[in-house]
């Protein structure tokens, strides 16, 4: 308040119009020791979040012996280069059910991408998008290798994996005796689905934190 405003207020007090209270500037209380300790710990504590990069390399030990193949490894993008997950991809001539046999299947046999290496993520980094990023990178690699369909096999009792693959657009095939207790799931890599469209765009950086 200005001096004029204060004088005007005193004048109104004298006339009994309002009670008088001199305004004072109030300074905030100094921070306590506990508050300073929390602020110091927060500012000095290093961030545990780390960026993940997926690298592609040849896959010498591919189980199907496909001529076209790739090993995909998700690693921490720092000096440690810690491996947090991996999977393998190869191109094989097979039927839509993932089987290589002839007979009734022969008209439908053509090159398809097979996620034949088990998709594995380190327990400390699960539920943070690493599996989805690996699968997306495998699909991008399959497109680059010239195929339009991805097949993968999942244990019938692995509910978490079945849920993930279904969420990402994979559909189960009829279970056959040759599948040996597994479910064959397939996905067309060029259908105009939301996940296909996202996987064709530049991918955002993936940040993870060790549990």
């Amino acid at each position: 308040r200005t001096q004029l405003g204060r004088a005007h207020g005193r004048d109104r007090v004298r006339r009994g119009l309002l009670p008088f209270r001199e305004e004072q500037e109030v300074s905030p209380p100094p921070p306590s020791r506990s508050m300073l300790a929390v602020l110091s710990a927060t500012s000095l504590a290093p961030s545990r979040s780390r960026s993940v990069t997926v690298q592609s390399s040849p896959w010498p030990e591919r189980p199907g012996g496909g001529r076209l193949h790739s090993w995909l490894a998700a690693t921490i993008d720092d000096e440690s280069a810690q491996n947090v997950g991996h999977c393998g991809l190869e191109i094989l001539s097979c039927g839509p059910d993932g089987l290589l046999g002839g007979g009734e299947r022969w008209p439908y046999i053509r090159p398809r991408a097979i996620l034949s290496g088990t998709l594995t993520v380190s327990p400390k980094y699960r539920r943070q998008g690493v599996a989805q990023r690996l699968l997306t990178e495998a699909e991008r690699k399959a497109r680059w290798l010239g195929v339009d369909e991805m097949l993968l096999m999942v244990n019938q009792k692995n509910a978490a994996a079945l849920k993930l693959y279904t969420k990402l657009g994979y559909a189960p095939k009829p279970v056959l005796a040759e599948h040996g207790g597994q479910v064959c799931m397939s996905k067309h890599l060029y259908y105009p689905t939301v996940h296909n469209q996202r996987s064709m765009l530049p991918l955002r950086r993936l940040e993870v934190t060790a549990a």
Side-chain angles (χ1 to χ4, degrees):
R1 292 173 69 176
T2 64
Q3 294 296 331
L4 181 61
R6 292 181 178 178
H8 179 68
R10 291 191 182 96
D11 182 62
R12 298 185 67 186
V13 170
R14 293 191 192 99
R15 290 182 289 169
L17 298 178
L18 51 82
F20 175 72
R21 184 181 63 184
E22 185 71 31
E23 291 186 357
Q24 299 179 357
E25 294 183 0
V26 180
S27 301
S32 62
R33 291 185 178 181
S34 59
M35 183 182 298
L36 289 174
V38 171
L39 292 174
S40 176
T42 304
S43 60
L44 297 178
S47 173
R48 298 176 59 193
S49 178
R50 295 291 184 270
S51 179
V52 169
T53 301
V54 177
Q55 305 265 349
S56 174
S57 61
W59 189 13
E61 300 178 0
R62 56 198 180 279
R67 185 176 60 87
L68 300 175
H69 51 84
S70 180
W71 179 255
L72 299 147
T75 59
I76 298 296
D77 192 14
D78 61 11
E79 297 80 5
S80 68
Q82 179 185 354
N83 187 297
V84 298
H86 58 261
C87 66
L89 170 76
E90 59 180 325
I91 310 301
L92 298 175
S93 292
C94 63
D97 50 14
L99 301 178
L100 307 177
E104 296 180 355
R105 297 188 184 91
W106 74 264
Y108 309 102
I109 291 179
R110 61 181 179 85
R112 290 177 167 89
I114 310 293
L115 196 76
S116 50
T118 302
L119 197 158
T120 304
V121 177
S122 171
K124 294 191 298 182
Y125 296 97
R126 289 176 182 170
R127 299 184 181 277
Q128 299 186 63
V130 177
Q132 183 171 339
R133 177 57 57 89
L134 281 167
L135 189 58
T136 298
E137 293 285 4
E139 293 172 2
R140 291 161 70 98
K141 188 69 175 181
R143 294 189 190 97
W144 188 82
L145 293 174
V147 296
D148 60 3
E149 187 178 3
M150 174 85 85
L151 301 179
L152 52 85
M153 304 297 293
V154 191
N155 190 302
Q156 296 182 25
K157 298 180 180 180
N158 193 339
L162 289 169
K163 182 179 180 180
L164 172 65
Y165 296 137
T166 301
K167 172 187 173 183
L168 299 181
Y170 286 80
K173 297 287 186 178
V175 178
L176 304 175
E178 294 90 337
H179 289 155
Q182 293 188 316
V183 179
C184 176
M185 305 187 76
S186 70
K187 176 182 178 180
H188 197 288
L189 299 177
Y190 288 99
Y191 281 172
T193 63
V194 173
H195 183 264
N196 277 345
Q197 293 172 356
R198 288 177 179 172
S199 68
M200 294 180 189
L201 297 173
L203 299 177
R204 295 182 298 176
R205 186 170 64 175
L206 176 63
E207 299 283 343
V208 298
T209 303

